[in-house]
Amino acid sequence: MAASKVAASDGLRIAYHVEGGGPPIVFLHGVGATKKMWAPQMAMLSERFRCIAIDYRGYGESEPPPESSLKADARDAKAISRAAYARDVIAVLDAEGIDAAHLCGCSLGGVVALETYDAKPARVKSLALVDTFAFYPGGVASIDERVANLDKLGMGEFAKTRGPGIHKPDAPKDLVDRSVADMASIPLAVYKASTRATWTGDYRPLLPRIDVPAEVFWGELDTTIAPHELSEELAKRIPTCSGVVRVPHAGHVSNLDNPEFFNLALEGFVDSVEAGFI
């Protein structure tokens, strides 16, 4: 997907792609992906919805923060953080003139969706949380090891070792290759900063306060990155959550491993919200 539009967030250019018309759905990618991971959703769901896929700052076609803003101790407005990613989302909504949108986020994208709701609840119509979590056990303690491994391997080798594991074991080679290439395209400094943001949040206190419709999606083969109990925690603690949708034959990126099932389930959820059924 080529970026068709650009928004300004903290003085950085945020790239995003728009397809279709109708109720807006904003798609938020994971730590090891770009907006390209939502291609199957953009293709099908844009027939009925205004689909918007965002590249966070530093990812894909978005402008990277300056080097000083990517250091571990950076706290300026251009630095990478969960709050900064949420500001990127709001900047795109503002650029598109959208008062409120359905947010669909995978992994880090789900975390960003929760952060966006926490910061600006009036801008969120619903939450579709995909293979994600409110709190990652051992996440804070793992950061040094994760960053050291990135420094040791570099993005190219890291993507080759990490990329296949986000998919189901029998995923087609061309699909895995695309995910590996997408991951490898992320600048190392951006990925390291984003890693620190991904695994260190705790949104458990937020969950009982969520009052927009929510649905949790979980790839049934996602047993190591974001296992079932993390999805169950989201579903049980969010009062407005309709439950966990178990996506069959899918790993951590369930939207890519089984796009037909995922798209129909997401479409049904958004339709129900728009109709006022949930």
Side-chain angles (χ1 to χ4, degrees):
M1 293 185 295
S4 57
K5 295 188 176 182
V6 174
S9 179
D10 298 326
L12 297 170
R13 297 184 302 277
I14 304 302
Y16 63 99
H17 187 68
V18 184
E19 289 283 353
I25 306 175
V26 175
F27 293 96
L28 306 172
H29 62 76
V31 63
T34 71
K35 66 182 182 303
K36 291 180 180 179
M37 73 168 288
W38 298 108
Q41 286 65 56
M42 300 290 285
M44 175 181 170
L45 295 176
S46 61
E47 295 178 4
R48 298 190 53 237
F49 302 101
R50 185 179 177 184
C51 295
I52 303 170
I54 297 175
D55 278 330
Y56 313 134
R57 60 186 65 191
Y59 279 81
E61 296 175 292
S62 289
E63 182 181 1
E67 185 177 345
S68 61
S69 299
L70 293 173
K71 295 180 179 179
D73 59 352
R75 298 292 184 271
D76 61 287
K78 293 185 178 182
I80 284 175
S81 66
R82 296 182 299 276
Y85 287 159
R87 294 196 300 274
D88 295 347
V89 175
I90 297 301
V92 170
L93 294 182
D94 289 345
E96 286 295 300
I98 296 171
D99 292 332
H102 304 277
L103 301 187
C104 177
C106 179
S107 197
L108 167 61
V111 172
V112 174
L114 291 173
E115 176 69 34
T116 304
Y117 178 85
D118 194 23
K120 301 285 184 180
R123 308 299 297 272
V124 180
K125 296 182 77 171
S126 75
L127 293 165
L129 304 171
V130 185
D131 292 278
T132 189
F133 44 86
F135 172 78
Y136 202 84
V140 173
S142 72
I143 294 302
D144 288 346
E145 181 181 352
R146 290 176 185 272
V147 171
N149 191 44
L150 285 164
D151 283 331
K152 176 183 177 182
L153 296 177
M155 280 309 299
E157 284 303 311
F158 176 80
K160 290 178 183 177
T161 60
R162 177 74 165 177
I166 68 176
H167 289 281
K168 59 185 178 181
D170 61 345
K173 184 179 183 302
D174 63 331
L175 177 61
V176 174
D177 288 346
R178 286 197 297 273
S179 292
V180 169
D182 200 29
M183 188 179 295
S185 74
I186 304 165
L188 177 61
V190 169
Y191 195 95
K192 287 164 62 177
S194 194
T195 293
R196 297 185 189 100
T198 301
W199 309 105
T200 56
D202 188 351
Y203 294 89
R204 291 174 296 183
L206 169 68
L207 302 185
R209 297 189 280 111
I210 293 175
D211 63 2
V212 298
E215 194 155 86
V216 177
F217 296 77
W218 175 68
E220 65 176 4
L221 300 176
D222 187 6
T223 58
T224 56
I225 301 176
H228 185 249
E229 55 264 30
L230 300 183
S231 288
E232 280 292 335
E233 179 175 54
L234 288 166
K236 289 179 179 179
R237 294 196 181 202
I238 298 175
T240 53
C241 185
S242 52
V244 177
V245 175
R246 190 184 189 102
V247 183
H249 313 300
H252 185 58
V253 283
S254 52
N255 67 299
L256 287 173
D257 280 345
N258 194 344
E260 295 82 7
F261 182 98
F262 181 90
N263 288 350
L264 288 173
L266 180 60
E267 181 179 30
F269 170 63
V270 175
D271 277 342
S272 294
V273 175
E274 286 291 322
F277 295 149
I278 57 175

